[in-house]
Amino acid sequence: MYADGEEARQRARRRQEVRTGYRGSQGPRGPPPPAGGFKRKREDEIEDSPHPLLAALFTLGDRQRPRGADPVLDEELDQFISSSMEALSKGLNRDLAQRPEEVCTLLLDCAAELSPKCAVYATLAGLINSEEPKFVEGLVARAAEGVSQALACADWTRFSCLLRFLAALVPANVLHPSAVIGQLRRMVNVALDVVKTGDMQDGGRLWQPYTDFLVTSALLAVPWGGPEMAESAPNDMQQLLAAARSYQQARPRQMQQALRPMPTLDPAAAEDLAALCDSGGAARLVDVLEALEDMQTKKGWQAISIQTYHQPFEAQLATGQPHSLPLIVIPSAPPGIPEFPSPMQTAAAVLQTYPPVGGLRMLGEAAEGGRAKIERIIAEQLILDTLHYFSSDRLECVRRLGRGLQLPYDVEPVLVETLLSQLLCLPHSPHPPVAYMALLGNCQEFLPAFSKPLSACVKMLYANVPAMDLEVARRFATWLAHHLTNFDCVWPWTKWSNVLSAPPSDPQRRVVEAALTHMSELEFRETVLQSLPEDFKPLLGPEPKVQPLEGPTEAAAGEATVPDGAAGQAQNGHAAPEAASVASRFGPQLLQKVRERVMSDDMRVWMEEQGIEAAVGGPVQAAQLVLHVALVAGIKSMTHMATALTRYQPLMASFLLRADDHAGEALVKTAMEVWSSSTQKALLALGHLLRLKLATPLHVVSWAFSQATSGEEAPSARALSQVWGALDATVRHLFVGREEARQEVSSAEEMLATSRSIAENAQRTLARVEAEAAAGPSFSANPNAANFVQQQAAMQEREALASVEGLEAGMAAKQAAVSAAEDAVQAHLLEIFRGFAGALTDTAVGAQQEETAEGPAIKTSWRTVLTGLLRAFARHHHVEAACTAKQVSAEIFSRDSGLSNDVVVIANESLHP
């Protein structure tokens, strides 16, 4: 097929022209000519649309297959890319004359958003520099300005990509090596100055994420300059690395403990790569710096992961004159961070703006493949850039990840490790977890060599589940369920047979149970059962069914009577045996009424006639009975559940008005018990109770911690999921209320601005009419029209001013609602932390089971689980909890709070990651 190289290149060039529609100096290829032909155009006319140029730049340097498979084919593809680059540089002459700003913008966008081909666009800029130096001088200025703008708006991905593009311009003879190294060193010096003058009391949390980002970005740009930059200014390069090492040693934190996916592993065990990971936080700088120092020691500044194309054009590039790099001002304070009254809020905002990039070493040498350390870091950075810019198009993203990274080796091991580490990144994954789940599935489908490293990563993760953070374990189980349901639920479960004999509180057993439960929610239960070995089927748990309503017995088939003494015997939502028997008789009758769509008021009248409230033991038990019936009636779908609960909300609320403040907790318990076999449905019912104000978030929190302190069962996967889901549901409920209040204020402000604008326009119209009337008789030629205009303007002014007055009067109430919603969020977080502290006291957990044989084990298991939940919850909501973090640390998790020292340390580290 490739016997004739020239012919092959011509065919490839024709395919390139057909695909891109751009033919250099011949202009863009348009649609087929009509029957009469096109009208002849002038030679200097070009199409207005920039799409052909964008297509040519977008596909420039694309390789249909990775380098290294066939040396002959590699050489031919390199020659074709070089010829395409040369042709494009010549074809841009007219575009540079007609629309230089547009070409400059497109070139910079491609260099930033297609970072694997950064060196290609740098070489193209060098070729243009030999013909059009003024354009390239403006390109360099725009690139430097883009770096400053990206830093100002905290677009750290574009900042890093443009910084690498500036370094790649050195081999293309566009920039002086000393100028680029000098700019990189100024960035490191800014970080050093911050270390020397910054506040160290809070461990550098107010600035270290920002300075770590600056130094890491500067170091990651060095390999893109190649030997041309490092060897041309060896002293400057040595000073740059020395300054980076000084910063690394002087900064207060070398690792962020709260961001470690495996928090119980010993970081001192250097051979355990998972123990050294902190989700790409402070520890990442050490890896990058060591990789560059290794390159300096071996004097090997050419990274094979960076494909360069400037060598064939060295003679032509030498004819161009290098340009000076404009000064890029790097602020010492993190840009884009608003002022906060509390340092804790500022630190949380800094970490949120400059988050960890993710990083969990799972494959070790298998991912590096015997290559230099810098190769893996560069490959990981290219993958992260591709994820950032192509996340909106999943299939194109998969194609770019599989073939567009321009790497001369198998990328699958690094790709698997990077995608999983992004999914498991703490405190939050950069994209929604489901995005990484879908990408992993697509890569498994389209990349043949993806399965083996994925299996190795899963093996490593499963082995480290006992040391794994609870939130990371939950994401791992969720991904595993998502992945298996996309591939016919096929998995070698027998390799995990150790969980069969493990207790329910075993971490690995919990992960397997959670994965199986989630699989049954994503796939038909029968399909999941058929895919499981017989020994694993009990781990799937019971079939999701609502707790049924017992029918009347033969002895009580007649008219129900109220047992003597039944009323008032129930307390805290627990009915006496006689009342429970009566409830079992009335339940089917209530269900029939619900199915007949009897309205709430009519149902209340019927229940009063039957004396059900007294029969079941009081208003709390009556509300529980109605809730149970409504949940049974809404079993068919989520809509049926919502409709039934909404219809009988007034009835349940009327019972709660006559009960004490703990009645809502009884309803929460009922909802969780009715759907005890399905956590998903139970949490859905819980959300409806909060929405309908039948229960408050405090009721849910009280129930959640009662599950741990009661000690009735070990912390199984289902119990853990219920507790975490209940706490998360309450916080999300308050977040939604706060967001609705903020939207109300925003909408009122827009309406107020519109009304004021209308009033001002009407006032200007009235003033103009009065001025024209006073000017002379010309205006009175048509007095009717003048009067009409004046009346309309006056009416608009009155209506607008009245609207402004009403909106301003209501604005204070809306703003007060926002303040109340924000206070409610903070108060609720405080109550949750108090609940954790109360549940983790030495006498709380498992107090009822101390005398049983399983009591001590249950108590220890719940303490471990609650400690992990505390770490996960505090870290997950550290931004929201920043307002009250100081109060939490001082009043709840202080040294003299009575809690163990490890709990205090974990809580404070998680609140300030």
Side-chain angles (χ1 to χ4, degrees):
M1 177 177 179
Y2 295 97
D4 187 353
E6 181 61 30
E7 183 180 356
R9 284 192 292 273
Q10 291 178 0
R11 290 200 302 269
R13 188 178 296 111
R14 287 195 294 271
R15 289 196 299 270
Q16 177 84 356
E17 292 173 1
V18 171
R19 186 169 71 251
T20 64
Y22 191 75
R23 296 184 293 167
S25 60
Q26 301 180 29
R29 183 187 296 273
F38 283 125
K39 178 181 178 181
R40 182 177 179 181
K41 297 181 179 180
R42 295 178 58 183
E43 187 64 26
D44 57 348
E45 287 184 2
I46 59 175
E47 297 288 343
D48 293 334
S49 173
H51 296 302
L53 173 60
L54 176 60
L57 289 172
F58 189 82
T59 57
L60 181 64
D62 281 347
R63 305 179 67 90
Q64 298 302 318
R65 57 196 60 140
R67 188 195 297 267
D70 187 346
V72 177
L73 182 59
D74 289 344
E75 183 179 357
E76 292 180 354
L77 287 175
D78 290 342
Q79 292 177 1
F80 168 69
I81 292 174
S82 299
S83 60
S84 300
M85 197 182 308
E86 185 176 10
L88 182 58
S89 66
K90 295 179 180 179
L92 284 172
N93 290 334
R94 291 186 308 156
D95 295 282
L96 295 178
Q98 295 288 333
R99 45 190 184 192
E101 293 294 327
E102 191 175 286
V103 175
C104 183
T105 301
L106 291 176
L107 187 56
L108 288 178
D109 287 344
C110 288
E113 299 177 16
L114 302 173
S115 62
K117 299 189 295 182
C118 179
V120 175
Y121 298 113
T123 304
L124 177 63
L127 294 175
I128 299 174
N129 187 46
S130 62
E131 301 291 339
E132 297 288 342
K134 291 185 178 180
F135 169 78
V136 177
E137 183 180 5
L139 177 71
V140 171
R142 284 281 300 275
E145 182 183 359
V147 170
S148 300
Q149 292 176 351
L151 184 60
C153 62
D155 187 355
W156 45 271
T157 301
R158 187 174 180 87
F159 173 84
S160 300
C161 291
L162 289 179
L163 203 62
R164 280 177 263 152
F165 176 67
L166 291 177
L169 291 176
V170 173
N173 198 32
V174 175
L175 290 175
H176 289 286
S178 57
V180 176
I181 297 178
Q183 179 59 53
L184 299 180
R185 186 179 175 186
R186 281 193 292 272
M187 294 173 57
V188 177
N189 289 339
V190 168
L192 265 174
D193 294 339
V194 173
V195 171
K196 295 176 182 178
T197 61
D199 185 5
M200 296 288 186
Q201 294 182 357
D202 197 25
R205 290 174 172 84
L206 295 175
W207 47 263
Q208 184 172 330
Y210 168 64
T211 54
D212 281 356
F213 163 73
L214 287 180
V215 178
T216 304
S217 300
L219 295 179
L220 286 175
V222 170
W224 293 86
E228 292 80 1
M229 185 172 74
E231 297 175 359
S232 299
N235 293 332
D236 294 342
M237 182 60 66
Q238 185 175 2
Q239 292 174 3
L240 171 64
L241 296 181
R245 176 60 71 180
S246 299
Y247 165 78
Q248 182 265 323
Q249 295 174 349
R251 62 184 184 158
R253 292 195 296 172
Q254 303 298 328
M255 178 178 287
Q256 292 171 263
Q257 296 291 335
L259 302 184
R260 295 177 59 203
M262 313 291 179
T264 60
L265 294 181
D266 185 10
E271 68 279 359
D272 193 342
L273 296 177
L276 300 176
C277 297
D278 63 349
S279 296
R284 184 168 184 259
L285 175 60
V286 180
D287 295 337
V288 176
L289 185 55
E290 289 179 351
L292 287 180
E293 289 176 343
D294 184 59
M295 294 181 73
Q296 183 186 34
T297 302
K298 297 178 180 179
K299 297 183 179 180
W301 290 103
Q302 183 60 61
I304 62 174
S305 299
I306 299 175
Q307 302 297 307
T308 58
Y309 296 94
H310 66 278
Q311 291 87 353
F313 306 105
E314 288 182 349
Q316 184 177 352
L317 294 175
T319 61
Q321 293 297 321
H323 302 277
S324 60
L325 179 63
L327 179 64
I328 301 175
V329 179
I330 305 297
S332 58
I337 305 299
E339 294 185 2
F340 291 99
S342 169
M344 301 294 184
Q345 292 176 269
T346 305
V350 171
L351 182 61
Q352 189 178 31
T353 307
Y354 301 95
V357 299
L360 179 59
R361 303 294 299 277
M362 291 171 272
L363 299 177
E365 294 295 332
E368 296 180 357
R371 297 177 292 272
K373 296 180 180 179
I374 194 65
E375 306 296 344
R376 182 189 182 281
I377 294 174
I378 293 174
E380 183 182 31
Q381 193 63 42
L382 296 180
I383 293 171
L384 296 180
D385 295 342
T386 303
L387 290 174
H388 178 79
Y389 285 112
F390 289 91
S391 59
S392 59
D393 189 345
R394 191 172 75 248
L395 294 182
E396 179 65 18
C397 184
V398 172
R399 190 182 75 82
R400 289 278 162 184
L401 291 173
R403 298 180 180 178
L405 296 178
Q406 311 288 316
L407 298 175
Y409 48 83
D410 293 336
V411 70
E412 286 81 4
V414 182
L415 179 58
V416 170
E417 199 172 66
T418 303
L419 290 178
L420 282 176
S421 66
Q422 291 288 291
L423 170 65
L424 305 178
C425 180
L426 297 175
H428 306 283
S429 55
H431 298 285
V434 68
Y436 299 105
M437 298 176 190
L439 276 175
L440 285 162
N442 292 136
C443 290
Q444 168 83 3
E445 184 178 359
F446 295 123
L447 302 180
F450 197 80
S451 301
K452 186 175 180 180
L454 181 62
S455 177
C457 288
V458 174
K459 181 179 179 181
M460 177 268 178
L461 289 173
Y462 177 75
N464 284 280
V465 163
M468 192 177 288
D469 183 89
L470 282 184
E471 185 174 0
V472 175
R474 181 178 60 85
R475 291 190 209 169
F476 172 54
T478 303
W479 165 76
L480 186 61
H482 187 279
H483 192 77
L484 295 183
T485 51
N486 284 330
F487 292 94
D488 299 328
C489 301
V490 176
W491 188 254
W493 294 107
T494 54
K495 293 184 178 180
W496 292 357
S497 58
N498 64 298
V499 302
L500 298 176
S501 58
S505 58
D506 181 73
Q508 290 181 328
R509 181 183 176 114
R510 283 203 304 261
V511 165
V512 174
E513 288 181 348
L516 291 176
T517 301
H518 198 54
M519 286 174 64
S520 65
E521 296 171 351
L522 298 172
E523 182 61 89
F524 290 109
R525 181 181 174 86
E526 293 74 14
T527 303
V528 179
L529 280 173
Q530 292 174 4
S531 67
L532 292 175
E534 288 295 330
D535 295 341
F536 278 81
K537 290 182 179 180
L539 298 182
L540 188 57
E543 184 177 357
K545 289 184 178 180
V546 69
Q547 183 179 345
L549 291 167
E550 298 180 2
T553 61
E554 294 182 1
E559 182 178 357
T561 58
V562 180
D564 295 336
Q569 292 182 6
Q571 295 188 11
N572 296 328
H574 298 282
E578 298 83 356
S581 176
V582 173
S584 67
R585 292 204 310 272
F586 282 116
Q589 299 180 42
L590 281 171
L591 181 61
Q592 184 62 32
K593 294 284 185 181
V594 171
R595 288 173 176 170
E596 294 174 358
R597 299 181 181 179
V598 176
M599 299 308 295
S600 179
D601 292 338
D602 297 333
M603 185 74 80
R604 182 188 300 110
V605 172
W606 180 81
M607 293 182 68
E608 290 175 354
E609 293 175 352
Q610 299 294 324
I612 294 179
E613 179 180 339
V616 297
V620 177
Q621 289 71 31
Q624 288 179 289
L625 177 61
V626 175
L627 174 61
H628 191 168
V629 171
L631 291 176
V632 173
I635 189 175
K636 187 174 183 180
S637 67
M638 294 184 293
T639 304
H640 283 72
M641 179 191 293
T643 302
L645 292 175
T646 303
R647 180 176 297 160
Y648 296 104
Q649 186 272 344
L651 177 59
M652 289 183 280
S654 65
F655 288 128
L656 296 182
L657 288 175
R658 302 193 297 274
D660 57 15
D661 295 337
H662 300 286
E665 184 178 348
L667 292 187
V668 172
K669 181 178 180 180
T670 300
M672 303 303 287
E673 288 180 349
V674 169
W675 276 112
S676 60
S677 60
S678 175
T679 303
Q680 185 184 44
K681 296 290 183 64
L683 295 178
L684 184 64
L686 187 62
H688 287 308
L689 291 181
L690 292 172
R691 175 180 61 86
L692 298 173
K693 298 182 179 180
L694 295 173
T696 65
L698 291 181
H699 292 146
V700 180
V701 171
S702 178
W703 172 87
F705 288 113
S706 69
Q707 297 300 106
T709 56
S710 64
E712 295 178 357
E713 61 177 5
S716 62
R718 191 176 303 276
L720 181 59
S721 178
Q722 287 183 345
V723 172
W724 173 265
L727 294 178
D728 188 60
T730 61
V731 177
R732 286 189 287 107
H733 172 73
L734 292 175
F735 286 172
V736 169
R738 183 183 61 183
E739 187 61 28
E740 290 177 350
R742 289 175 176 175
Q743 290 179 358
E744 288 286 337
V745 172
S746 178
S747 177
E749 289 176 347
E750 293 178 0
M751 295 174 62
L752 185 59
T754 302
S755 298
R756 285 173 176 169
S757 177
I758 294 174
E760 292 174 358
N761 291 334
Q763 291 171 357
R764 284 194 294 268
T765 301
L766 287 174
R768 178 175 56 81
V769 171
E770 293 174 356
E772 291 179 355
S778 59
F779 180 78
S780 60
N782 192 356
N784 293 331
N787 291 334
F788 177 78
V789 171
Q790 191 173 13
Q791 292 174 1
Q792 290 293 321
M795 182 178 65
Q796 290 180 355
E797 182 186 20
R798 287 194 302 272
E799 293 178 351
L801 291 177
S803 177
V804 168
E805 183 179 357
L807 290 171
E808 288 179 344
M811 183 63 72
K814 295 181 184 296
Q815 292 175 344
V818 171
S819 300
E822 293 176 347
D823 293 341
V825 170
Q826 300 305 321
H828 183 65
L829 291 175
L830 281 174
E831 289 300 323
I832 291 179
F833 288 126
R834 289 193 180 99
F836 272 114
L840 284 170
T841 56
D842 293 334
T843 59
V845 181
Q848 299 179 9
Q849 294 291 327
E850 278 297 319
E851 298 180 358
T852 64
E854 298 83 5
I858 292 177
K859 179 176 180 178
T860 303
S861 299
W862 268 113
R863 283 185 60 85
T864 304
V865 166
L866 285 175
T867 303
L869 278 177
L870 172 61
R871 176 191 287 112
F873 184 87
R875 182 185 55 232
H876 191 78
H877 299 290
H878 75 98
V879 175
E880 300 293 340
C883 296
T884 56
K886 186 175 181 180
Q887 181 182 357
V888 172
S889 299
E891 298 179 4
I892 302 176
F893 296 107
S894 61
R895 297 292 180 182
D896 55 352
S897 60
L899 298 170
S900 60
N901 184 63
D902 60 333
V903 172
V904 173
V905 171
I906 287 173
N908 288 296
E909 284 183 350
S910 302
L911 283 169
H912 319 297

